[in-house]
Amino acid sequence: MICAACGEWADAPAVEDSVLVCARCGHREPFRRLPMFAVTGPSGTGKSTVCRGLTKLLGDRAVVLEQDLLWVGALHEPDDDYASFRRIWLRMAATIHQSGRPVVLCGTVAPPQLERRPERVLFSEIHYLSLVADDDVLSKRLRARPAWRGWDNEQRITDMLDFNTWIKKNAASTSPPMDLLDTTTATVEETTAAVADWLLARLP
């Protein structure tokens, strides 16, 4: 987001059609506005596991990334709903898009956390697929995780179940809406294949 002409940093990028415009000097350069794909949902629904298997099924059609790779340091701050974390991922994805391949970002996120960021203009659209599961299955999965992951905290599990409920109730009314995929009884292979089918039907 640094202007190639004047070197100014754009905190709020400006895009007109498929052209990136510098607000300071007016320099214009071509910019690919591709769709991005967010595979989201509560912890324990299978996002990370699916992420590992998607590359083989998608081939070179998309770049699949695990959101938690950047869950570090200064980005791990709750200010404005982790704004720095969300914005850096949008900038990263938009930069990758310039190679011509769309990004599939796997990790917990709700549409408002991306849609209201200044970087949203860098994408033609963002598609959301949320994995969900029955509460009892989800809580068992979380409690079975290794101790270092911190799921021995009952309040944390309760919060995740509340998020699971929120998604089921509100998926159709978010802007844009989220598609749902229930992973309660599905195998890892079945879930991964279903996510790949959803992506392939929407990839440019």
Side-chain angles (χ1 to χ4, degrees), residues 40 42 109-112 128-130 132 161-180:
T40 183
V109 66
Y128 297 85
L129 174 65
S130 183
V132 293
L161 296 181
D162 289 344
F163 183 51
N164 189 48
T165 299
W166 181 87
I167 290 175
K168 292 177 181 180
K169 287 183 177 180
N170 295 282
S173 60
T174 59
S175 182
M178 294 181 282
D179 292 325
L180 296 183

Side-chain angles (χ1 to χ4, degrees), residues 1-10 21-27 29:
M1 300 303 111
I2 298 175
C3 177
C6 70
E8 182 72 7
W9 168 263
V21 183
C22 176
R24 178 179 178 182
C25 73
H27 175 73
E29 61 181 279

Side-chain angles (χ1 to χ4, degrees), residues 33-45:
R33 293 179 73 241
L34 300 180
M36 189 177 84
F37 300 85
V39 178
T40 183
S43 297
T45 52

Side-chain angles (χ1 to χ4, degrees), residues 20-163:
L20 190 64
V21 183
C22 176
R24 178 179 178 182
C25 73
H27 175 73
R28 300 167 68 87
E29 61 181 279
F31 191 86
R32 283 183 167 134
R33 293 179 73 241
L34 300 180
M36 189 177 84
F37 300 85
V39 178
T40 183
S43 297
T45 52
K47 299 182 303 297
S48 296
T49 304
V50 164
C51 186
R52 293 188 185 98
L54 279 178
T55 301
K56 182 171 68 173
L57 297 179
L58 298 179
D60 62 359
R61 296 284 305 276
V63 177
V64 182
L65 297 170
E66 166 59 63
Q67 182 179 248
D68 286 351
L69 287 173
L70 295 183
W71 192 244
V72 293
L75 297 179
H76 191 177
E77 295 291 336
D79 296 346
D80 192 18
D81 206 2
Y82 299 97
S84 295
F85 181 70
R86 307 300 181 191
R87 296 185 69 185
I88 198 67
W89 263 122
L90 289 172
R91 288 174 182 256
M92 177 82 75
T95 300
I96 292 171
H97 281 183
Q98 302 317 296
S99 69
R101 289 197 291 168
V103 165
V104 178
L105 189 60
C106 301
T108 300
V109 66
Q113 294 173 316
L114 298 181
E115 298 294 328
R116 61 191 178 93
R117 304 300 170 196
E119 291 78 6
R120 174 60 183 83
V121 300
L122 301 174
F123 305 88
S124 59
E125 53 193 332
I126 302 179
H127 299 279
Y128 297 85
L129 174 65
S130 183
L131 309 188
V132 293
D134 290 349
D135 282 357
D136 57 338
V137 171
L138 192 59
S139 61
K140 287 178 183 176
R141 290 176 183 173
L142 294 174
R143 290 188 177 94
R145 288 183 165 183
W148 68 266
R149 300 191 69 174
W151 287 101
D152 54 350
N153 183 321
E154 287 300 316
Q155 184 57 54
R156 190 179 178 198
I157 292 175
T158 297
D159 290 344
M160 196 54 60
L161 296 181
D162 289 344
F163 183 51

